[in-house]
Amino acid sequence: LAKTTQPISMDSYEGQEVNITCSHNNIATNDYITWYQQFPSQGPRFIIQGYKTKVTNEVASLFIPADRKSSTLSLPRVSLSDTAVYYCLVGDSNAGNMLTFGGGTRLMVKP
Amino acid sequence: DTAVSQTPKYLVTQMGNDKSIKCEQNLGHDTMYWYKQDSKKFLKIMFSYNNKELIINETVPNRFSPKSPDKAHLNLHINSLELGDSAVYFCASSQLGQGGEKLFFGSGTQLSVL
């Protein structure tokens, strides 16, 4: 299981774009990169998943360079409700590959 | 309808008691999990079932026993509760296939052992 490293916390202001980078130097060929969001007293929620280049959905964008050793979650124009913990995980399609989420990045959006 | 639902949301009990947490998913997924989130917010897998069969059993005390009556349900029974069992327990499900695994979580059960 590839280990991931991401900043412990980040601060931002409403309306700004937020980029959270995750390092995964030992990512395997079959691994996908997945990001989750967790609000207090709730379970993590799937945000976005990608394998290479760029993926965009209605919530975020995910940028993955060619070597895939890192990835960047981009949240456009954040609001106060985006304050949460964001987790980066890598793994393949086998069950339970994402065993431990780690500490994640605590994003605080200020008015 | 809630995709992954678990009950109860809060559970306060005394040391030595036996308790159960129930989980149900209506997503038609084949695989279900129990995760434990400690005070440092690390989410760690405990068990995984695929089509009612146990496929992952991390280093968890024997006091914890999962039961899957069908692929839509995965319940967690805990015997002889200890203070260190206090945590938030999350149930999750996924459908394996192409692409990386995508987990869908319940809202959690906060267990407090006094």
Side-chain angles (χ1 to χ4, degrees):
Chain A
L1 178 65
K3 181 179 178 180
T4 60
T5 303
Q6 49 184 126
I8 294 174
S9 64
M10 294 181 68
D11 288 345
S12 181
Y13 291 92
E14 282 190 293
Q16 289 187 334
E17 177 183 77
V18 171
N19 296 308
I20 306 174
T21 297
C22 178
S23 297
H24 27 80
N25 292 319
N26 297 322
I27 189 169
T29 303
N30 294 330
D31 286 344
Y32 282 72
I33 301 157
T34 309
W35 285 81
Y36 292 84
Q37 174 192 56
Q38 185 178 24
F39 298 114
S41 302
Q42 294 186 26
R45 180 176 73 107
F46 171 87
I47 301 177
I48 197 166
Q49 184 180 82
Y51 183 80
K52 61 181 179 180
T53 61
K54 176 184 175 182
V55 180
T56 297
N57 61 22
E58 66 278 6
V59 177
S61 294
L62 180 59
F63 298 91
I64 305 168
D67 65 6
R68 304 201 324 125
K69 292 183 182 299
S70 67
S71 59
T72 299
L73 175 72
S74 181
L75 304 172
R77 298 181 298 282
V78 294
S79 63
L80 296 177
S81 62
D82 292 316
T83 294
V85 179
Y86 292 83
Y87 296 95
C88 162
L89 289 91
V90 293
D92 59 24
S93 61
N94 291 317
N97 208 287
M98 301 179 185
L99 301 180
T100 300
F101 274 51
T105 298
R106 295 180 177 276
L107 172 65
M108 174 67 73
V109 180
K110 302 174 182 178
Chain B
D1 285 342
T2 303
V4 181
S5 59
Q6 53 183 111
T7 56
K9 187 166 179 62
Y10 300 98
L11 187 53
V12 181
T13 187
Q14 301 286 332
M15 281 177 56
N17 284 349
D18 302 338
K19 291 293 179 183
S20 294
I21 307 173
K22 295 184 177 181
C23 179
E24 176 182 5
Q25 55 96 1
N26 62 7
L27 297 167
H29 289 168
D30 292 331
T31 308
M32 296 185 71
Y33 307 84
W34 278 106
Y35 278 81
K36 179 180 180 180
Q37 188 167 41
D38 60 25
S39 57
K40 294 183 179 180
K41 304 302 182 184
F42 285 88
L43 264 165
K44 185 174 182 180
I45 194 169
M46 300 174 67
F47 301 101
S48 173
Y49 270 73
N50 182 264
N51 278 318
K52 303 192 299 177
E53 290 190 14
L54 180 67
I55 56 172
I56 292 175
N57 183 351
E58 291 297 297
T59 306
V60 177
N62 292 335
R63 300 180 295 104
F64 290 80
S65 54
K67 286 186 171 53
S68 181
D70 55 60
K71 73 174 192 177
H73 295 82
L74 181 62
N75 303 322
L76 183 65
H77 187 76
I78 314 170
N79 290 325
S80 303
L81 279 157
E82 301 177 355
L83 293 176
D85 297 332
S86 295
V88 182
Y89 292 84
F90 288 99
C91 176
S93 72
S94 71
Q95 183 62 43
L96 305 179
Q98 288 189 338
E101 190 175 21
K102 300 174 187 175
L103 297 162
F104 293 80
F105 285 83
S107 58
T109 295
Q110 184 167 334
L111 172 64
S112 298
V113 182
L114 307 178

